[in-house]
Amino acid sequence: VIDSIIEAKRIMILARKNSLGPAYLLNVHINEIFSKSRLLDGESVETLDILRGLTADDLVITIAIPAYSNRMIQYSNFLVEKHIPQITITNTYSNTFAKNGELVLLTSVSSLSYANSHLTTNFIIDVLLYFLTLKKQGEILKSLEEMKILNERFAISGNQ
């Protein structure tokens, strides 16, 4: 999983509705390290325009937790047709996303409330980021230092 993320030319993170929160988190942190990630709304028609421009050098990370959407299933099937590698974070091995993923990271969405819980999904993302950090420590330190300088320059953070 880690090597797939590192070696990808571009990374698209495909999610919808309640999986957009964890997807946003993953996107922000991958961009802090590599500046090559983009979050795509699995319900957007514009997403198809972006997906059709991908090549086998790119990677799609799909976060698919209930309720699944027909459009995201179609997008995932389209990626298989185009031989675009997919990593899937999902809650079961029996759905289309898991079947289409070259790598599957199984999550749980069990919750005491009406909404899906993202605790396990966020933990998986945290573990991915930890292993990326171990593997690319020097590059990450350089990237974070550059970000700190840019954040201060553009008054995003730091002393004003």
Side-chain angles (χ1 to χ4, degrees):
V1 173
I2 301 307
D3 289 335
S4 297
I5 293 171
I6 291 169
E7 294 167 6
K9 181 178 176 186
R10 294 175 293 181
I11 300 169
M12 301 297 140
I13 301 170
L14 184 62
R16 72 176 283 273
K17 220 170 180 177
N18 62 358
S19 58
L20 281 170
Y24 181 80
L25 177 73
L26 180 59
N27 184 60
V28 165
H29 291 304
I30 287 177
N31 277 328
E32 286 175 338
I33 301 168
F34 300 115
S35 298
K36 63 179 183 179
S37 180
R38 182 167 178 189
L39 178 59
L40 301 177
D41 183 344
E43 288 301 312
S44 170
V45 175
E46 180 187 21
T47 294
L48 181 58
D49 295 332
I50 296 161
L51 294 178
R52 71 183 178 88
L54 297 180
T55 70
D57 294 330
D58 299 314
L59 172 68
V60 175
I61 300 173
T62 302
I63 301 179
I65 56 178
Y68 310 115
S69 84
N70 187 46
R71 181 168 286 159
M72 273 192 55
I73 291 169
Q74 290 175 357
Y75 287 161
S76 181
N77 288 336
F78 176 67
L79 293 167
V80 169
E81 290 171 23
K82 288 191 54 151
H83 306 286
I84 308 299
Q86 295 179 69
I87 294 174
T88 302
I89 300 173
T90 191
N91 66 312
T92 178
Y93 287 116
S94 63
N95 66 34
T96 301
F97 304 104
K99 291 173 183 160
N100 288 346
E102 292 182 10
L103 302 162
V104 178
L105 302 172
L106 202 59
T107 189
S108 171
V109 293
S110 296
S111 174
L112 297 176
S113 71
Y114 72 94
N116 290 327
S117 172
H118 298 295
L119 290 174
T120 306
T121 306
N122 286 336
F123 179 74
I124 289 170
I125 290 168
D126 191 47
V127 170
L128 284 174
L129 295 170
Y130 170 74
F131 284 119
L132 280 169
T133 301
L134 287 180
K135 187 111 180 190
K136 300 300 272 181
Q137 217 166 20
E139 188 175 328
I140 290 170
L141 290 174
K142 181 182 174 195
S143 178
L144 292 176
E145 186 59 35
E146 288 173 358
M147 281 184 46
K148 180 182 176 206
I149 292 166
L150 290 172
N151 285 343
E152 289 172 3
R153 176 180 170 192
F154 291 99
I156 295 170
S157 64
N159 297 329
Q160 307 304 332

